[in-house]
Amino acid sequence: MNEKKRIIFHLDMDHFYTAIEERERPDLKGKPVIVGADPKEGKGRGVVHTCNYEARKLGIRSAMPISRAWNLCPLAVYLPPNFDLYMEVSSRIMEILRKYGDKFEQWGIDEAFIDVSGKAKDYLEAEAIACQIKKEIFEKEKLTCSIGIGPNKLVAKIASDHQKPDGLTVIRENEADDFLAPLGVRKLLWVGRKTEQKLASMGIKTIGDLAHFDPAVLTEKFGVMGTQLYLMAHGIDKSEVAERGQVKSISRDVTFEEDVSNPEVVFNALDKLSEDVTADAQRQKLYFKTVTIKIRYENFETHTHGKTLPFITNRFQDLKKATRELAQGYMKQDRKIRLVSVRVSNFTSGQMQRTLL
Ligand code: TTP
Ligand code: MG
């Protein structure tokens, strides 16, 4: 079998939200900057969305409670998010990137894959294209990014994260095994905390450990996913770079000022989140099919629960009904709720919607 070799890029913007804030306000340069919930002098209850590299040196990270960030660095600059601005910048960057690839796939607000197999005959040419992309993004947006180049999406994605910020990492097919071996299994797409723990209990910590493990045992323990894990550990990924909806999901969350036991308060909060999410979906002309809620109790125990609707929609009433139904089982008399979120995914664009009807 003579499969054509592919060359894939993964691009990820550096500390995206804070980089945009720094660009808008040059006085922030050099200071630790955090975009997230209001810290309220350490009493704030939301989370850090992201922070710049100066703040990361102090131990601050995305998704950390904002109160913890305040304890680590009360003198950092704390800014509320400006999502509209971030979305605008994101779509301009995606437009730049799209023209460099034969195929383009947006993966998140600040990241995307492109397949350049038809444009670059070898890795040297690919590297030159990557430099060109970095230059164009910097000239037009005054922002830096990191690019990973590899024989498939999996390797490219791990490579883009390898030398952040402003990195460019090229991993050829025959280098993939050595590159991956020392890295932790969490670097692999789809390996979350639970899989990581299960693998650790089997003595598997690094991707190299996984690559040397008996694939039959992996399949026995993890089913189809076991085979997938084994292939990934060897840097094998045949998935195509495939255009789809601009965004994969839209979500909103709220951390209550005080933990809540009254179900009506929780339902009202869910309604408000559903309203914001549908407004966002309508603005982007996206229709969704899957709805997921997250409920975090006061002790941080967190549950995610979702369902796929039998129809596509972006109507507030549909989302409101779905989220209320999903949340029903989590309202318990003796359990106070700290945070709720609403997420929609499985999108169809407006254009496809029209052809479907
Ligand atoms: P990331 O690319 O994961 O992070 P980043 O761009 O801030 O930093 P890095 O240089 O490591 O790539 O996420 C992109 C944006 O998504 C980020 O700027 C803010 C947002 N985000 C959240 O709101 N919450 C999160 O937990 C994470 C990880 C990101
Ligand atoms: Mg990023």
Side-chain angles (χ1 to χ4, degrees), residues 158 162 179-187 205-208:
I158 300 174
H162 199 60
F179 167 65
L180 296 174
L183 306 175
V185 288
R186 268 300 275 284
K187 292 271 176 189
K205 291 229 153 80
T206 64
I207 298 179

Side-chain angles (χ1 to χ4, degrees), residues 84-129:
D84 288 346
L85 174 63
Y86 309 151
M87 292 286 283
E88 242 175 66
V89 177
S90 166
S91 47
R92 284 201 300 267
I93 287 166
M94 296 303 155
E95 283 319 305
I96 294 174
L97 198 50
R98 186 187 286 277
K99 63 178 200 268
Y100 283 94
D102 307 311
K103 294 181 199 160
F104 164 90
E105 179 176 0
Q106 185 166 355
W107 194 255
I109 188 168
D110 79 331
E111 55 179 311
F113 292 100
I114 53 172
D115 185 330
V116 299
S117 312
K119 299 212 154 116
K121 77 168 184 313
D122 56 25
Y123 277 87
L124 269 183
E125 280 189 15
E127 211 172 319
I129 294 175

Side-chain angles (χ1 to χ4, degrees), residues 12-17 49-50 53 56 62-63 110 164:
D12 188 298
M13 300 302 296
D14 300 322
H15 67 102
F16 190 49
Y17 293 1
H49 291 309
T50 195
Y53 284 75
R56 291 183 202 192
S62 288
D110 79 331
K164 262 183 167 292

